[in-house]
Every structure is written in C-alpha cells, then in structure tokens.
Amino acid sequence: CKDVFDSIANIPENQIFERTIVSRYPLGTWRSKGGLVALVGDSAHGMHPNIGQGANSAFESAAAVVHALTSAKKDVKENKNDNYNWRRSALQNFEATRKPRADIVQRFANLMGVVQATGIEIEDLSISKSQLMNIMEWIELSKNPTPNNDEETHEEDDPILEDDLVDILMKSDPCDYPGVSKLW
C-alpha cells in the first residue's frame, strides 16, 4: 500500500485532472428516420452512474430488441411475407415498450447525479424521500416489458410507479439546480 501512496505522491500536479460526469436528456426517438436502425444501451439512454443502472438498462434494452425482432420475424415466417416492414415494425415495438421505462430510469439517475455533484440536500429536491424510495423500489422490482420465454410475466405483480412521480421525473431538469450547467 505504501508503494501506491508513494506513486500517487510523485505524480506531477499538472498531470492530475478532474473528469466531468455528464447527464443526458432522454432522446426523442431511438430509431433512424427510415426505421431500420435503433440505438441500444448507452447510445440510447446513457445515464449518470450513481444509481448503478447503466449496465442493467443496456441488458434490458438488448433483451427487448432481441424479443421484438424475433417475434416480428416469427410473424413474417408464418405469413411468408419478407420485406423491410417487419424490421421497422419490430424496432417501433421495441422503442414503444422499452423507452418509457428507460427514460424514467435515466431521468432518476440525472436527478441523483445532481445530488451527488452539487451536494444539494435531498430535502431541497422537488421530490420527497419516500417518493425517492418508491422510485428506487420500482426500478429494482419492476420487470422490463419483455417476457422471458421460460417464465410467465404477470404485469399485475409489478410495482406501480404513481403518475405524479412519473410527472415529477419527466419534468425534472438537472439544470434547474444551482451549480449545474449545460455543456452545449
């Protein structure tokens, strides 16, 4: 351990820098204009790392896009109609089922990033501690809207995120808080 501390102490100060973590607003769409290309993972919903949901969200999106494509392809095989429309439809379905949840998680990560980056007290946010706990529970316990072929999903068993919490998150803007500024 002494070697590590000695190494750190010997780094010239002009070589030490602080890296900024940037939050992104949810994108309007994840699909290309032609509908044949879709973003997945951080390119679609990159988020502040403080709530530890970046990789989880990427896996959820990967599973959702695979499910949408394989379901649409199965329908094409049954109807013997193979054109690009099934791909467009699949990616549209992927976005429609996956984006609402990803947007909420991304916005929550942004809000918690404000707390971490600025030192603002949770009490000074536009949301109460109990509401924060409800959101965290929803993120942890709710299922991605992509069924697993090995198990049945029961949406009625999923925790419900109240509409008022969704509204708060969808209207929250990290730049509304002191010490946070836009980079663009």
Side-chain angles (χ1 to χ4, degrees):
C1 210
K2 181 182 179 322
D3 291 341
V4 172
F5 287 114
D6 289 345
S7 295
I8 292 171
N10 289 318
I11 297 173
E13 196 165 325
N14 65 351
Q15 292 183 2
I16 298 173
F17 62 93
E18 183 177 339
R19 181 165 277 157
T20 301
I21 297 175
V22 180
S23 297
R24 285 188 358 200
Y25 297 110
L27 299 173
T29 184
W30 295 346
R31 293 177 294 123
S32 64
K33 287 183 181 181
L36 293 173
V37 177
L39 301 174
V40 179
D42 280 351
S43 63
H45 45 70
M47 60 188 72
H48 198 283
N50 62 335
I51 65 167
Q53 291 297 312
N56 291 342
S57 290
F59 285 125
E60 286 181 13
S61 289
V65 76
V66 167
H67 176 74
L69 288 168
T70 55
S71 294
K73 185 64 176 172
K74 179 182 171 191
D75 291 344
V76 167
K77 284 182 179 178
E78 290 173 2
N79 297 326
K80 302 203 181 352
N81 179 12
D82 191 13
N83 59 33
Y84 288 114
N85 289 332
W86 73 269
R87 293 173 182 95
R88 284 185 187 92
S89 176
L91 294 179
Q92 183 177 11
N93 184 41
F94 156 66
E95 184 178 66
T97 58
R98 178 72 187 111
K99 192 173 182 312
R101 174 179 162 76
D103 285 358
I104 290 170
V105 175
Q106 184 180 20
R107 285 188 175 274
F108 182 67
N110 287 349
L111 188 61
M112 293 297 91
V114 167
V115 172
Q116 182 184 32
T118 65
I120 193 170
E121 297 294 324
I122 289 177
E123 291 79 17
D124 294 332
L125 296 175
S126 57
I127 192 165
S128 71
K129 282 185 181 180
S130 67
Q131 289 172 318
L132 288 174
M133 296 305 291
N134 288 347
I135 295 168
M136 288 189 291
E137 180 180 359
W138 177 80
I139 290 170
E140 180 183 345
L141 298 178
S142 68
K143 296 176 183 71
N144 186 55
T146 303
N148 179 336
N149 293 334
D150 298 333
E151 64 183 57
E152 280 191 44
T153 57
H154 300 284
E155 289 182 16
E156 65 273 5
D157 295 339
D158 280 357
I160 302 296
L161 190 60
E162 292 83 13
D163 288 342
D164 62 328
L165 294 182
V166 173
D167 288 343
I168 290 169
L169 285 175
M170 297 315 269
K171 291 175 185 171
S172 104
D173 185 340
C175 294
D176 289 342
Y177 296 95
V180 178
S181 60
K182 290 185 178 182
L183 294 177
W184 54 91

